[in-house]
Amino acid sequence: MPSPKLQSAKGALAIVTGASRGIGRAIALAFLQQGVSVLGVSRTISDPLEGTSAEFIPCIADVTNTDDQKLNNAGTLDPLAKLSDIDLSDWRHHFEVNVVAVLALTQLALPMLRATNGRVINISSGAASSAYQGWAAYCASKAALNMVTKSMAVEEPEVVAIAVRPGVVDTDMQKVIRSVGHDTATTPSPAMLAAMVSAPVGDDVLGEDPTVNELEHMVANLCGHESALFCVSSTMANQLAIRTHLCNPPESMLCHWDSHIFKYESGGTSLHSQAQMIPIKSSPNLSVQDIKDHFITGSFLGHCAPTHLVALENTMSGVVMPIADIRDIGQFTRSMGALVHMDGSRLWNAAADKKELREYATLVDSLSLCLSKGMGCPVELSQALKPKGVILGAVYEGSHLRIVLHHQIDDECVDMILATVNKLHLAASEPAK
């Protein structure tokens, strides 16, 4: 809904960067439709913004040209690369576009903004607070832009400065993101396809699928757990494991506010387990003190949901959770009569070898492992003890899926994956030269 101020604006001017397409163009059109004149800054103007009573003033500028650095430009996603591979000149250019140019234009406009109690609205992103593989430059620049905005709000009391996170918008940038892919995408290798063709078929509901049984037994041994359960997604694996622990409401589960279980599983814990999720804001991972501060010990005459489960995630936004922290959380949680689950979708990236993987796994009461992230397979496993039919149904003849997992998770493959990750750990621990 348009604001009253916009509806009644007389002689107002909005400076919109990146006005030729995407979010910038949509914002420019919205201002024009409310009678606000727009100075549209962009490298190109694809077609004139006409058909409104307000004036659109195009300004062609590019921050890569030193003569135009006083002007902001549209944000950029490039370079899409890991930190180890980014060209530093590309990194500098990215920050010139996404951060330096914003500040340069704002400095030029400040005298007018102070005099009119104007507003500075910067476009932020969820990437400002979460790390994504290959997005280091974009995540860092958006975090920097957020801090520039906060600092301006403190330093300029006569100017309103805010950063807006618009969510996922189907722009050209999103098309690039979809085309690049991520670590959840997988393509079966020829050896995988051959293994699928020759896989024996059995009824997994009756426990008669030899490939499934062997795979689950292998993973349980790898992680030091009593048993494992094949699932078709990390969400299903997490929710099944949680449901095995939470079955007597009212109950609550503590988790990180940015965890997959809390943010991206459609409220499954509340739906399937009838339990309250209590998200904790902590950076980068939960600590035992966080758990102690939020742990609910009793129902208080039926008014509270006691904490019966703590859900951890490793890695969390690319940050490894130390074994010592997991051990401390587990000791406290069990001393309070509760249990610990771990979303280990990227546990492969946290463990330096099979011994460390097993140590991580044995510190928790249940965990999920994703075999598509780093292992190249399309489905998941959960260390859970209840039937998979409890929530999302069973797969009667699942050998063709399971044989892909079995093919990829043999000892040789596990050794190769963990050895590669270990090299990254060693490289990261070396002092900068």
Side-chain angles (χ1 to χ4, degrees), residues 124 177 194 237 266 290 381 411:
S124 183
I177 292 170
S266 302
D290 291 326
L381 280 161
D411 286 343

Side-chain angles (χ1 to χ4, degrees), residues 280-316:
I280 302 173
K281 285 194 174 185
S282 182
S283 180
N285 280 302
L286 295 177
S287 67
V288 67
Q289 192 59 51
D290 291 326
I291 304 304
K292 291 178 179 179
D293 291 343
H294 294 82
F295 202 95
I296 300 174
T297 57
S299 64
F300 190 63
L301 301 177
H303 295 291
C304 299
T307 301
H308 288 171
L309 184 64
V310 173
L312 306 177
E313 185 169 328
N314 200 13
T315 61
M316 168 64 69

Side-chain angles (χ1 to χ4, degrees), residues 128-376:
S129 57
S130 298
Y132 299 96
Q133 181 170 306
W135 286 31
Y138 188 72
C139 294
S141 69
K142 286 301 182 181
L145 183 61
N146 277 2
M147 190 51 64
V148 167
T149 307
K150 290 181 179 180
S151 299
M152 182 166 296
V154 172
E155 297 174 359
E156 299 290 340
E158 296 174 336
V159 177
V160 177
I162 61 173
V164 177
R165 174 180 170 180
V168 178
V169 182
D170 194 18
T171 62
D172 289 344
M173 183 180 290
Q174 281 297 319
K175 293 177 182 177
V176 172
I177 292 170
R178 290 194 294 267
S179 68
V180 170
H182 39 77
D183 71 346
T184 58
T186 181
T187 301
S189 66
M192 279 189 199
L193 295 173
M196 292 171 69
V197 171
S198 60
V201 175
D203 191 333
D204 186 36
V205 174
L206 300 178
E208 297 174 350
D209 191 315
T211 308
V212 177
N213 295 339
E214 186 178 355
L215 173 66
E216 293 176 343
H217 180 71
M218 180 189 300
V219 175
N221 285 340
L222 181 67
C223 295
H225 276 247
E226 179 182 346
S227 62
L229 183 68
F230 169 82
C231 301
V232 295
S233 73
S234 289
T235 296
M236 182 181 184
N238 283 329
Q239 292 303 316
L240 280 168
I242 291 170
R243 182 66 180 87
T244 66
H245 302 311
L246 301 178
C247 49
N248 187 28
E251 299 173 290
S252 64
M253 178 188 76
L254 304 183
C255 59
H256 196 285
W257 74 282
D258 203 30
S259 66
H260 191 279
I261 287 172
F262 177 65
K263 294 180 69 174
Y264 300 113
E265 299 190 4
S266 302
T269 300
S270 300
L271 174 65
H272 299 304
S273 301
Q274 301 179 50
Q276 178 183 2
M277 288 185 284
I278 301 178
I280 302 173
K281 285 194 174 185
S282 182
S283 180
N285 280 302
L286 295 177
S287 67
V288 67
Q289 192 59 51
D290 291 326
I291 304 304
K292 291 178 179 179
D293 291 343
H294 294 82
F295 202 95
I296 300 174
T297 57
S299 64
F300 190 63
L301 301 177
H303 295 291
C304 299
T307 301
H308 288 171
L309 184 64
V310 173
L312 306 177
E313 185 169 328
N314 200 13
T315 61
M316 168 64 69
S317 299
V319 179
V320 175
M321 189 171 192
I323 285 178
D325 289 355
I326 299 173
R327 183 180 293 110
D328 290 344
I329 289 173
Q331 289 174 350
F332 169 76
T333 300
R334 293 185 191 92
S335 73
M336 302 300 292
L339 300 173
V340 180
H341 170 72
M342 178 187 290
D343 179 349
S345 291
R346 292 176 174 84
L347 191 59
W348 309 105
N349 301 104
D353 52 37
K354 285 194 285 188
K355 180 180 178 182
E356 191 169 80
L357 178 70
R358 186 184 182 92
E359 185 174 6
Y360 274 120
T362 53
L363 289 174
V364 296
D365 299 287
S366 63
L367 76 150
S368 61
L369 286 175
C370 177
L371 304 181
S372 67
K373 302 175 181 74
M375 296 290 277

Side-chain angles (χ1 to χ4, degrees), residues 70 100-114 152:
K70 63 184 180 293
V100 177
V102 176
L103 180 58
L105 177 59
T106 304
Q107 286 178 334
L108 290 172
L110 269 177
M112 181 175 64
L113 291 169
R114 291 172 183 145
M152 182 166 296

